[in-house]
């Protein structure tokens, strides 16, 4: 029996294949472009490696694309076939189970399978990262933190992947409001894993949430080695940098980063679309004319109205459709939300709540029906974490809610949301908070007509 870089058993037959598998693990942990190449090399060399097939399937489902569900199903079948030809470890069998559960509409079942792996192999950074990633899609910040803290002690100073675990821990600390601890963990992790894009971005989140844009911009500019090697995750880091410039009031810089980096490649990955749409919305809320930039995003979103994989993705597609004013596609998306909301399943529950209300609110806001928008978005707000993503990513919906309330004259309720937003940001007022609170004061000074 061979053991990989995580000191976990794998049913591989050669040292060369093991080296490729270990390289895949490192690339996956670092969000590196080489992940699929290393996994492909493993499967070419040993096509009966069931865990490799399961990895391909799980990674496909993480992409949140309808056409990749079939790829995942084929991977699951290949994994089950492989297990009939070759004895597998309990760890590998649980990976296949995780893929099966997710395909059955239970991503929490996939998480449970990964956690079962970690009970016996707490040094298994790969399984810890997969659990972390699925929980992120589900918006389970507390679960992410509990999971990673259970394996921290097993990732001691001699563990080759300790830096990546610290990066994951930093992100969970940030998402649960422990900003000082998150900053310390993230910076400690980067000292050990200088290519950890996730850890770098966790610290950037801290600076966003605590209104320290200068420190965030400096961190990104001086830590290029942590993220320039990345797959499309590097666009997300550029997005963070644009947000930090936006917080400094540098709208022209943020828009320049959109053109030069965030949409340097016109990809259709939903994470790239979410970066782009949410940045354009933020700019428009600040009065910036973004010109025709909505059109290429809406063209992509229009082809995705039937996806139904991730609510987070679909709501960002709707931002693109409303930004470009595509009423037919908006109606198609709304109808599909209603169909999905009526079905059984963990993701379908999220379409029912908060998806339907959030979608109605975005449509109403785009149409200038601000009172209706505020009502719908306020209704969705308590459950928005469940759509996945981070606080910083979901903040675009928070900003739309607040501006809808201001435009509708719902001042007391809007002030309560602003105060709640401020409290979740350690009481540190960013530019958005300052300008909207000032707007509240000015509006209250104007006598009602």
């Amino acid at each position: 029996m061979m053991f990989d870089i995580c000191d976990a058993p794998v049913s591989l037959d050669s040292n060369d294949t093991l080296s490729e598998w270990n390289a895949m693990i490192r690339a996956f942990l670092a969000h590196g472009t080489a992940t699929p190449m290393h996994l492909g090399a493993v499967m070419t060399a040993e096509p009966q490696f069931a865990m490799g097939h399961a990895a391909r399937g799980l990674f496909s489902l993480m992409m949140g694309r309808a056409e990749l569900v079939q790829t995942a199903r084929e991977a699951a079948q290949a994994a089950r076939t492989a297990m009939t030809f070759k004895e597998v470890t309990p760890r590998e069998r649980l990976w296949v189970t995780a893929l099966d559960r997710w395909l059955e509409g239970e991503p929490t079942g996939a998480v449970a399978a990964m956690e079962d792996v970690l009970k016996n192999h707490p040094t298994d950074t790969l399984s810890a990262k997969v659990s972390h990633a699925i929980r992120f899609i589900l918006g389970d910040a507390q679960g992410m933190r509990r999971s990673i803290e259970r394996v921290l002690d097993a990732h001691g100073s001699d563990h080759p992947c300790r830096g990546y675990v610290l990066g994951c821990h930093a992100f969970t600390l940030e998402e649960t409001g422990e900003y000082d601890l998150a900053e310390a963990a993230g910076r400690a992790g980067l000292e050990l894993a200088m290519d950890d894009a996730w850890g770098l971005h966790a610290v950037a989140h801290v600076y966003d949430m605590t209104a320290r844009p200068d420190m965030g911009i400096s961190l990104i500019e001086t830590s290029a080695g942590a993220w320039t090697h990345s797959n499309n995750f590097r666009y997300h880091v550029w997005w963070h940098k644009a947000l930090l410039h936006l917080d400094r009031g540098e709208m022209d810089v943020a828009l320049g980063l959109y053109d030069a980096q965030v949409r340097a490649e016109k990809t259709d990955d939903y994470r790239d679309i979410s970066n782009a749409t949410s940045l354009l919305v933020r700019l428009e809320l600040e009065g910036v004319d973004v010109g025709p930039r909505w059109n290429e995003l809406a063209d992509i979103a229009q082809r995705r109205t039937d996806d139904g994989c991730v609510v987070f993705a679909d709501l960002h597609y709707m931002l693109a459709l409303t930004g470009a004013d595509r009423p037919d596609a908006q109606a198609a998306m709304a109808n599909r939300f209603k169909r999905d909301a009526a079905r059984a399943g963990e993701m379908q529950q999220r379409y029912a709540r908060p998806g339907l209300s959030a979608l109605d609110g975005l449509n109403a806001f785009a149409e200038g029906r601000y009172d209706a928008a505020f009502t719908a978005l306020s209704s969705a707000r308590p459950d928005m974490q469940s759509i996945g993503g981070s606080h910083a990513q979901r903040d675009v919906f928070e900003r739309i809610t607040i501006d809808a309330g201001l435009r509708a004259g719902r001042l007391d309720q809007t002030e309560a949301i602003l105060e709640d937003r401020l409290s979740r940001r350690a009481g540190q007022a960013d530019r958005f908070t300052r300008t909207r609170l000032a707007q509240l004061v000015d509006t209250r000074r104007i006598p009602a007509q």
Side-chain angles (χ1 to χ4, degrees):
M1 180 63 63
M2 290 186 167
F3 289 80
D4 63 23
I5 196 173
C6 301
D7 195 30
V10 281
S11 58
L12 293 171
D13 296 328
S14 78
N15 287 325
D16 288 344
T17 312
L18 179 62
S19 294
E20 289 287 355
W21 177 250
N22 285 335
M24 188 283 293
I25 293 173
R26 280 192 173 277
F28 179 71
L29 295 175
H31 293 256
T33 57
T35 304
M37 291 179 281
H38 290 303
L39 182 57
V42 169
M43 300 316 298
T44 298
E46 301 195 29
Q48 300 304 328
F49 180 41
M51 187 173 175
H53 290 295
R56 178 172 175 254
L58 288 166
F59 296 169
S60 295
L61 291 178
M62 288 176 193
M63 298 294 285
R65 300 166 66 99
E67 66 270 24
L68 291 181
V69 174
Q70 181 57 33
T71 301
R73 292 191 189 284
E74 293 168 0
Q77 181 58 51
R80 287 191 290 269
T81 300
M83 287 194 295
T84 67
F85 287 96
K86 187 176 184 179
E87 185 177 353
V88 299
T89 68
R91 176 207 193 196
E92 294 167 331
R93 191 174 295 277
L94 282 166
W95 268 63
V96 178
T97 298
L99 177 55
D100 287 340
R101 293 295 84 76
W102 198 345
L103 285 169
E104 291 165 2
E106 298 179 9
T108 57
V111 169
M114 289 296 154
E115 294 300 323
D116 284 344
V117 172
L118 293 171
K119 289 175 185 175
N120 294 320
H121 305 288
T123 60
D124 185 359
T125 325
L126 177 61
S127 295
K129 179 75 171 182
V130 170
S131 177
H132 186 84
I134 302 173
R135 289 181 190 272
F136 176 74
I137 293 170
L138 297 174
D140 182 11
Q142 294 291 342
M144 291 169 73
R145 181 170 173 178
R146 290 192 300 270
S147 174
I148 211 70
E149 288 182 348
R150 281 194 290 266
V151 301
L152 267 178
D153 288 345
H155 286 76
S157 58
D158 59 340
H159 196 297
C161 300
R162 176 174 170 78
Y164 301 108
V165 168
L166 289 175
C168 289
H169 192 214
F171 184 74
T172 68
L173 289 166
E174 179 274 324
E175 288 294 295
T176 53
E178 300 279 2
Y179 298 118
D180 290 342
L181 292 175
E183 181 181 5
R187 288 192 172 276
L190 285 169
E191 291 181 6
L192 297 173
M194 292 182 290
D195 63 348
D196 184 16
W198 189 255
L200 177 281
H201 122 284
V203 183
H205 270 272
V206 170
Y207 296 138
D208 178 277
M209 294 296 289
T210 55
R212 289 181 282 170
D214 293 351
M215 293 191 70
I217 291 167
S218 175
L219 171 75
I220 292 170
E221 290 179 345
T222 59
S223 307
W227 55 275
T228 51
H229 70 284
S230 291
N231 51 29
N232 62 322
F233 192 75
R234 68 186 183 277
Y235 303 136
H236 186 64
V237 178
W238 281 115
W239 175 81
H240 272 285
K241 191 171 190 293
L243 295 194
L244 294 162
H245 283 289
L246 196 65
D247 194 26
R248 296 205 306 201
E250 297 165 354
M251 310 302 170
D252 55 338
V253 177
L255 191 57
L257 286 173
Y258 178 95
D259 292 330
Q261 303 295 346
V262 175
R263 288 304 283 169
E265 296 181 32
K266 302 299 189 284
T267 69
D268 64 351
D269 187 299
Y270 86 81
R271 294 161 295 190
D272 302 337
I273 300 300
S274 73
N275 294 333
T277 56
S278 65
L279 179 53
L280 290 186
V281 168
R282 284 171 166 87
L283 286 163
E284 286 193 334
L285 292 177
E286 300 307 317
V288 176
D289 182 355
V290 302
R293 292 175 178 83
W294 281 116
N295 290 329
E296 67 98 3
L297 300 173
D299 289 344
I300 294 169
Q302 201 158 337
R303 298 192 293 269
R304 292 285 169 191
T305 56
D306 288 329
D307 256 27
C309 293
V310 182
V311 179
F312 176 89
D314 285 338
L315 289 178
H316 283 86
Y317 293 143
M318 182 57 83
L319 291 180
L321 296 174
T322 57
D325 191 19
R326 303 282 178 90
D328 290 344
Q330 290 167 235
M333 182 78 84
N335 288 332
R336 203 262 301 149
F337 263 55
K338 291 175 184 175
R339 293 195 301 271
D340 284 351
R343 295 172 180 157
E346 293 178 356
M347 297 310 290
Q348 286 73 20
Q349 291 170 7
R350 289 164 169 79
Y351 281 101
R353 182 168 182 84
L356 286 172
S357 293
L359 196 80
D360 287 346
L362 297 181
N363 271 321
F365 187 86
E367 295 169 0
R369 296 184 290 113
Y370 299 121
D371 194 75
F374 183 75
T375 298
L377 290 167
S378 296
S379 173
R381 188 173 178 267
D383 300 298
M384 284 299 282
Q385 172 130 2
S386 71
I387 71 170
S390 65
H391 292 312
Q393 288 175 308
R394 292 187 302 272
D395 189 52
V396 67
F397 304 113
E398 192 90 322
R399 292 179 183 222
I400 294 171
T401 305
I402 289 165
D403 275 18
L406 289 171
R407 297 179 193 188
R410 305 277 285 270
L411 304 185
D412 291 345
Q413 292 163 286
T414 302
E415 183 176 29
I417 293 174
L418 274 166
E419 293 294 344
D420 182 60
R421 181 180 182 273
L422 182 61
S423 70
R424 287 185 285 109
R425 290 171 169 261
Q428 302 301 310
D430 60 357
R431 183 179 183 278
F432 181 84
T433 301
R434 295 194 305 272
T435 57
R436 271 46 180 189
L437 285 174
Q439 190 174 336
L440 266 171
V441 171
D442 289 343
T443 303
R444 282 174 169 150
R445 285 176 180 157
I446 301 173
Q449 297 299 316

